[in-house]
Amino acid sequence: MSDILRGLNAAQKSAAMHVDGPLLVLAGAGSGKTKTLTTRLAYLIDEIGIPAQNTLTLTFTNKASMEMRQRALSLIGSQSSIPILATFHRFGLMFLKFYITYLGRKNDFSVIDDKDKNKILSKIEKKVKNIDLTTREISSEISYIKNSLLGSLGEEKEYLEEFFYAYQQELLDHNLVDFDDLLLLPFNILSTNDALAARISQTYSYIMVDEYQDTNYLQFQLLRKLCFSHENLCVVGDDDQSIYGWRGADIQNILQFNKHFKDVKTIKLEENYRSTEEILNAANLMIAYNTQRIGKTLRSIKGSGEAIKNLSFEDSKAEAFGIAQEIQNLLHKGVRADDIAVLFRLNAMSKGLEENLNRLKVPHMLVGTMRFYERAEIKDILAYLRYLSNKHDDFSLERIINQPKRGIGEKTQEKIFSLAREKKISVVECFLQGEYDNVLSSKVLATLREFFALLEVLREDRDRPYKMAEALLNHINILQAYEAEYDHIDRMANIKELLQTIKEYFEENIDSTIIDFFNNIALSSSLDDTQEGSVKCMSIHTSKGLEFDYVFVIGMEEKIFPHEKKDTDLEEERRLAYVAFTRAKKKLYTSHANSRLHHTGPLKSSRFLQEAQILQGKNLDIQTGGFVKNDAVIHRVFGLGIVQKVEKIGQDMFLTISFGGLIRRIKSGFVEKA
């Protein structure tokens, strides 16, 4: 037996040794899917003899692709080539570099992020009438159109027609590509070129896809094109963890896989190496209520552990304080902050939690906040660098022409850019040809002359990006522009961090261009970097793919989780709870409150707690705010007191407290621990 397969269980081994034909690996949470996937890749290359360059492994996050690459390379012997392991979008970027010319476009395109996209849409909004949508809503609609492969907008989206085509024209005019185009354009190219589709399919004769339950319609159809000449497609996923229907993921892709492809082999990975029996029993019981699933039951390899602890609170304020206290107790017992996570269904729940963690001096961080590259000061610097690498990039010029302030107002900017569009040449060409001489004031002309001359000097170092960036900061007063801002110290630190990032990137990628750097960061994720030594607080969606020893799932009430809204998919909400529970390795905590701000009347505990049997049987461990007899508490009127008795009546918790001999019976939510 090959050393590559050592350590795999029977199901993992069967999946790793499958060679030809479609394969569905139904991998439960914590069942070793990454190990199985990378072992199969190594088996194909080292044992079967498939050339590494003839394999393609697609994932959804940079973090997952990097982890797989490291694991696969550790298993694969010496190879003259390296297998491609990339996200769908990074693969799309690689594909377009070679084949976008099939669409009559140049391959020096730039990838724009959501903020750049919204900037374009905001500009179009000023010209297009009868659009009663926000920029964000329009952006979402355009993504839906592209990912749904709507060749014709039809009656359903007819109201967007003018806007959609104006946006597409703007992308073409500036040779820009948005995130959706990274998948749509490769699909369009392969759909209209059978010979190329056959050649690409033969090149990638063995394709593997991770997290297949998260694929949308466009990704599914792109995979069909990549399998033009074969059906050697191995998909790994978990229908019980399909939680992105709201952004286009189609659970039917995995549920109907055996209908989309012929003679599918299905292997279930049900041995869980992450969580205890108590955690898995609760997750299994709950998810069994779903009807749209293939069906599997996770079995714990770790065996029995601690009972699930459910915490009941009077209100959300008491909950936030009680959870913070529980975490503080864990830290006092020697648990590492990095091994603790707090998960919530709604981001708004983080505020009270963060305030109480700060109050108790518990190190923590919110995961999934604004990305580094979305910060204004970073986008400014990157826009400068983009323009220095391409003097005809008017899209970047629009951001920097008056940043920092140069006395070029919005009306003047409109004149500058509208004339360039009218002449169908770039702004700098317009300027050099004297087209602005009778349009702009002598003062603005002098400013532009000085500005373009300085940029031309800086552009001399474009083959040395780090030096060019340093020179840019020395000659453009961009740092001074932020001195008046309240967070200018943070902004300065961010800019210095960007400089270091540029330096390190080109030290590690000596043959790369500045365009490669731009496209690389466009694909970066806010989850690529997290602060060590801190409790992680995040939405359940953000926690997907992560694991922690101790996990708190808060806000488990009806209307909150499952969330109450017009288009709620109850089964997806249940899958979300399943994901939350299975993040825990050693101990799972759940909590619910009787009331929350903005919700009238008493709240019922979530049906998921009942389905998982957390609120009954051996897993029952109800507390209310963590109050016990002899606790010292503070009341805003009566002051310091000592708890004499704790009573739970229905959903309410009452404390009998002695305030220096004065005995009062008070609801628990009206006092705090001293």
Side-chain angles (χ1 to χ4, degrees), residues 31-238:
S31 63
K33 71 178 180 65
T34 301
K35 182 178 182 180
T36 304
L37 200 60
T38 52
T39 301
R40 181 174 187 266
L41 177 59
Y43 183 82
L44 288 174
I45 295 171
D46 267 12
E47 296 295 320
I48 304 301
I50 306 300
Q53 65 268 28
N54 293 144
T55 68
L56 172 64
T57 304
L58 298 174
T59 68
F60 276 84
T61 66
N62 294 321
K63 182 179 179 181
S65 66
M66 287 188 289
E67 181 183 354
M68 285 188 183
R69 181 177 293 108
Q70 291 170 353
R71 289 203 195 184
L73 293 180
S74 69
L75 292 171
I76 297 170
S78 127
Q79 289 288 326
S80 57
S81 60
I82 296 176
I84 296 177
L85 293 99
T87 63
F88 272 92
H89 291 89
R90 189 172 294 278
F91 172 75
L93 174 61
M94 293 162 50
F95 182 93
L96 290 179
K97 280 186 176 181
F98 289 99
Y99 302 110
I100 198 171
T101 53
Y102 276 71
L103 299 175
R105 295 178 59 171
K106 295 180 180 179
N107 64 3
D108 62 347
F109 60 88
S110 291
V111 182
I112 61 171
D113 62 16
D114 285 341
K115 285 201 172 181
D116 292 331
K117 179 181 179 181
N118 289 339
K119 184 178 178 181
I120 295 173
L121 294 176
S122 296
K123 185 168 65 175
I124 297 172
E125 274 184 279
K126 297 174 183 177
K127 303 175 184 177
V128 177
K129 298 178 181 179
N130 303 321
I131 289 288
D132 189 23
L133 294 172
T134 65
T135 302
R136 183 177 179 180
E137 289 170 334
I138 294 169
S139 175
S140 178
E141 292 280 14
I142 288 175
S143 287
Y144 173 80
I145 290 167
K146 292 187 175 186
N147 283 286
S148 300
L149 292 177
L150 296 180
S152 167
L153 298 190
E155 292 184 9
E156 182 188 0
K157 301 292 180 183
E158 191 174 4
Y159 64 95
L160 268 177
E161 187 170 9
E162 183 181 0
F163 211 112
F164 179 77
Y165 291 116
Y167 171 71
Q168 289 297 93
Q169 192 59 51
E170 191 78 12
L171 295 184
L172 284 172
D173 289 346
H174 297 288
N175 201 18
L176 302 174
V177 170
D178 67 20
F179 247 55
D180 300 314
D181 288 335
L182 290 175
L183 302 182
L184 178 61
L185 298 184
F187 172 78
N188 289 341
I189 292 168
L190 293 173
S191 295
T192 53
N193 295 273
D194 283 356
L196 177 63
R199 180 153 54 90
I200 295 296
S201 181
Q202 288 161 8
T203 297
Y204 303 119
S205 53
Y206 289 89
I207 300 174
M208 291 188 282
V209 182
D210 188 23
E211 303 286 8
Y212 187 66
Q213 78 281 347
D214 294 334
T215 53
N216 62 24
Y217 183 69
L218 172 55
Q219 288 162 333
F220 166 68
Q221 292 295 347
L222 178 59
L223 284 170
R224 294 294 294 261
K225 291 300 176 185
L226 292 174
C227 292
F228 188 90
S229 301
H230 63 79
E231 287 198 347
N232 296 329
L233 174 64
C234 166
V235 301
V236 181
D238 185 359

Side-chain angles (χ1 to χ4, degrees), residues 35 44 75 285 347 367 574 629 674:
K35 182 178 182 180
L44 288 174
L75 292 171
L285 286 167
N347 285 317
V367 180
R574 190 175 284 111
K629 186 177 180 180

Side-chain angles (χ1 to χ4, degrees), residues 244-266:
Y244 296 115
W246 52 277
R247 71 181 189 195
D250 188 354
I251 192 175
Q252 295 303 321
N253 288 348
I254 191 167
L255 294 180
Q256 301 294 322
F257 185 75
N258 62 350
K259 295 182 179 178
H260 296 150
F261 297 90
K262 296 178 182 178
D263 302 321
V264 172
K265 181 175 183 179
T266 300

Side-chain angles (χ1 to χ4, degrees), residues 472-497:
L472 169 69
L473 294 177
N474 289 333
H475 290 86
I476 302 287
N477 294 326
I478 195 78
L479 296 175
Q480 288 80 348
Y482 295 115
E483 283 184 350
E485 301 284 348
Y486 74 96
D487 58 350
H488 72 280
I489 295 177
D490 289 337
R491 289 177 183 264
M492 303 298 181
N494 290 336
I495 291 173
K496 290 178 181 177
E497 180 68 18

